[in-house]
Amino acid sequence: MSSEPRADRPAYRPATIAVTSGRPAHEPDSPLNEPLTMASTYVAGGDVEYGRYGNPTWAAFETALGDLEGGRCLAFASGLAAVSTILDLVGQGAKVVAPRHAYLGTIGQIADLEARGRITAELVDITDTDAVVKACADAALVWLESPTNPALEVAEIAPIVTAAHEAGAYVVVDNTFATPLLQQPLSLDADLVVHSATKFIAGHSDVLLGAVVTQDDQLHDVLKKRRDMIGATPGTFETWLALRGLRTLHVRLERAQANAQELVRRLGEHPAVGEVRYPGFGAIISVVLAEGAMAADLLTRKTTLWVHATSLGGVESTFERRRRWKTEPATIPDGLVRMSVGIEDVDDLWDDLASALDDLVLPAG
Ligand SMILES: Cc1ncc(COP(=O)(O)O)c(C=O)c1O
């Protein structure tokens, strides 16, 4: 009951796929939306049998996200459940190449596996394509996250995939920040795409969910088997909510990105801001406060509209100083605030930010 390859898929554009894919057939009295099927078990004799092996609500979500990414999707209990299921496939002692500034939970899993002697790891600066290509030579798996969380570094995916494949390595791209609307790694020959669907895909800060997408049927089947075996399966209500969120992804992202681009311009002119990091697309901005960590902490306490909260990709604007997490690498500036721009009115967002930032500017002399 997971998504099947769909040779019959019409060549719709992404916004239409987001709205239509994974819906029930247009038949009299069939519901327009896939219903929430709460079932731990099914009548014996069919293909599924038990709730850990499949669910029609998961299948609808998997079809929609798979169609957007251009592959077959599997939903997982969380982004990190998807990450660990993939990392579990790496052979004993084999080498994983990963970004030094990837999401701290991903780096944490890789470090844990290395500490237990399961894998060897090489952390790289993913903006240095030559160095990444060199690191691929003896790798079994190349993990990319682009843009990275929270440094917002961007990888040149295509040449890295070529080098990795020449070395016989698989390539995973964590596409959480870009979403399939801004980047489709499978079209650049990456083997696997991973998502924290908790973020932009679900989009309303009320769900934990993960996903993996691939065009390789064998990889799909191996991952499904492992997901079902270890029970990293998604919650059905979470999957239903995420599918509901996915229906508006293009509209939300368009508005959030427009807001982000305007805020990047205004933030760059504010004297309290030392550096603005923005890859040119998407709805995440990282700013480094001129006066460092204390100013960053003050900023996150002084706003009324911006919410001080971790996570990102919701309709509401949130921000946090990332180094408040002890496991965030020391190469992330202490005063870096990661901002997840929502879909509110940009002038309200700016007024709230600007008044907090104005208070942080030290008087001259
Ligand atoms: C880029 C990225 N990948 C993976 C994850 C992990 O996803 P989840 O929190 O859904 O387990 C996160 C969470 O912040 C993330 O930002």
Side-chain angles (χ1 to χ4, degrees):
M1 213 182 279
S2 68
S3 61
E4 294 300 319
R6 294 174 21 109
D8 60 332
R9 183 154 61 94
Y12 286 139
R13 293 165 183 83
T16 311
I17 295 173
V19 173
T20 61
S21 180
R23 289 193 187 268
H26 295 179
E27 283 160 5
D29 280 344
S30 81
L32 264 66
N33 298 303
E34 180 62 40
L36 181 59
T37 300
M38 301 300 284
S40 62
T41 190
Y42 302 88
V43 176
D47 293 333
V48 188
E49 299 271 3
Y50 187 52
R52 196 164 5 90
Y53 305 135
N55 177 290
T57 314
W58 304 356
F61 170 81
E62 288 167 342
T63 300
L65 183 54
D67 282 351
L68 278 176
E69 287 284 6
R72 295 173 73 192
C73 173
L74 289 164
F76 284 80
S78 66
L80 279 189
V83 170
S84 66
T85 307
I86 296 170
L87 288 175
D88 203 30
L89 299 181
V90 177
Q92 178 64 34
K95 178 175 149 183
V96 174
V97 174
R100 64 185 175 135
H101 291 153
Y103 169 59
L104 58 82
T106 303
I107 298 182
Q109 284 198 17
I110 290 171
D112 176 64
L113 289 171
E114 190 173 36
R116 290 191 283 122
R118 267 278 291 112
I119 61 166
T120 61
E122 181 173 349
L123 298 186
V124 290
D125 171 357
I126 59 152
T127 64
D128 185 346
T129 305
D130 290 344
V132 182
V133 163
K134 214 163 140 210
C136 287
D138 53 349
L141 182 74
V142 178
W143 193 281
L144 295 179
E145 183 180 296
S146 186
T148 52
N149 177 7
L152 299 181
E153 294 152 338
V154 174
E156 278 189 279
I157 295 175
I160 296 172
V161 169
T162 304
H165 285 172
E166 273 167 15
Y170 287 103
V171 180
V172 182
V173 179
D174 185 327
N175 208 24
T176 299
F177 274 33
T179 85
L181 300 182
L182 301 176
Q183 174 171 272
Q184 295 185 317
L186 299 181
S187 72
L188 302 170
D189 272 349
D191 302 287
L192 293 161
V193 165
V194 69
H195 275 284
S196 170
T198 307
K199 311 294 191 303
F200 290 100
I201 301 287
H204 294 75
S205 308
D206 50 12
V207 158
L208 277 177
L209 195 74
V212 177
V213 192
T214 181
Q215 290 174 338
D216 182 327
D217 290 338
Q218 210 182 336
L219 269 180
H220 172 276
D221 294 350
V222 168
L223 284 164
K224 178 171 177 351
K225 197 169 154 200
R226 286 214 66 81
R227 179 191 72 175
D228 298 356
M229 191 196 301
I230 65 176
T233 44
T236 306
F237 187 45
E238 280 79 355
T239 315
W240 186 85
L241 280 173
L243 179 57
R244 190 181 162 108
L246 183 68
R247 298 296 183 215
T248 56
L249 175 62
H250 50 299
V251 183
R252 287 185 283 109
L253 191 62
E254 193 178 311
R255 174 61 175 266
Q257 179 172 258
N259 282 354
Q261 288 172 349
E262 181 56 27
L263 291 177
V264 164
R265 196 182 61 73
R266 298 187 194 184
L267 284 162
E269 290 168 2
H270 198 285
V273 176
E275 183 190 348
V276 181
R277 297 189 183 185
Y278 183 66
F281 60 91
I284 309 293
I285 307 168
S286 286
V287 292
V288 183
L289 275 277
E291 297 298 326
M294 218 193 299
D297 282 335
L298 268 177
L299 172 67
T300 57
R301 282 190 224 115
K302 274 177 172 283
T303 53
T304 48
L305 181 56
W306 287 81
V307 188
H308 182 207
T310 197
S311 200
L312 52 100
V315 290
E316 60 288 282
S317 294
T318 59
F319 61 175
E320 68 168 342
R321 183 173 75 83
R322 282 302 290 177
R323 286 282 300 282
R324 77 190 178 94
W325 298 96
K326 298 288 171 259
T327 47
E328 191 69 77
T331 40
I332 298 297
D334 229 6
L336 181 143
V337 176
R338 188 192 64 203
M339 311 174 69
S340 174
V341 182
I343 63 170
E344 303 92 335
D345 187 295
V346 71
D347 288 323
D348 288 331
L349 290 174
W350 176 246
D351 289 349
D352 191 37
L353 264 185
S355 75
L357 285 168
D358 289 348
D359 288 349
L360 299 177
V361 180
L362 295 178

